[in-house]
Amino acid sequence: HDGKLFVNRELYKVGVEIVDTPAFFDKMPEAKKHVIRADSARPEVISHMKRHGYPRMVGAKKWKGSVEDGISCLRGFEKIVIHERCSHAIEEARLWKWKRDRLTDDILPKLKPGSDHIWDSVRYALEPLTKRAPMLMGW
């Protein structure tokens, strides 16, 4: 919306058992009305969710460089506005850092692992808007 991405709500918990996931998602108002993109590396979770009230859940498409392309999509927004009730998104945004080359201290086009649960979810949600970067020769 006008070059801005709004993060208005979050549903966050690490380690939810697959059998408990539908009830956990039920805590998000109107979640069943929307397409939900999930990690396609977990087809068993997607299948379980579809069988338990979330027929519109799909796996996010992945390709070589999709993480970097998703990050470029996020960085392409003029501004990302996070509502104050989204404490985990705020914390993860604060902790997100790029890896650095240990010899030159140059910033690398890779994120440091950890503190990326919310942003992985946002990348999955934005997958239809994410454009594949043209592959450079030999890269």
Side-chain angles (χ1 to χ4, degrees):
H1 181 49
D2 292 331
K4 296 179 182 80
L5 174 66
F6 293 89
V7 178
N8 189 36
R9 292 192 172 274
E10 69 179 14
L11 188 63
Y12 184 93
K13 186 173 181 181
V14 176
V16 177
E17 295 291 332
I18 292 175
V19 296
D20 299 327
T21 305
F24 182 65
F25 271 61
D26 288 344
K27 295 176 183 180
M28 179 62 69
E30 300 188 12
K32 292 182 179 183
K33 292 182 177 181
H34 302 281
V35 172
I36 298 172
R37 286 183 181 77
D39 188 346
S40 58
R42 298 295 309 269
E44 72 282 8
V45 175
I46 295 168
S47 176
H48 181 78
M49 292 293 287
K50 284 183 171 191
R51 289 191 317 271
H52 292 88
Y54 287 86
R56 300 187 72 198
M57 181 168 276
V58 297
K61 293 179 184 132
K62 294 184 179 182
W63 57 89
K64 184 177 170 116
S66 61
V67 172
E68 292 81 4
D69 293 344
I71 292 166
S72 291
C73 179
L74 285 168
R75 293 184 62 156
F77 286 98
E78 178 185 315
K79 187 174 189 177
I80 298 176
V81 180
I82 306 171
H83 194 283
E84 65 186 21
R85 73 174 148 242
C86 302
S87 59
H88 295 99
I90 291 168
E91 181 67 6
E92 284 191 8
R94 189 180 68 73
L95 294 174
W96 233 25
K97 300 218 184 315
W98 296 102
K99 286 185 180 180
R100 290 185 172 266
D101 183 286
R102 63 181 179 83
L103 299 176
T104 65
D105 204 36
D106 290 342
I107 296 173
L108 302 172
K110 300 259 186 221
L111 289 173
K112 284 187 175 182
S115 299
D116 53 4
H117 301 290
I118 295 282
W119 298 105
D120 284 347
S121 298
V122 173
R123 281 190 306 99
Y124 299 153
L126 295 175
E127 176 254 311
L129 302 176
T130 303
K131 299 194 178 2
R132 294 181 187 204
M135 295 301 293
L136 300 175
M137 291 179 24
W139 292 36

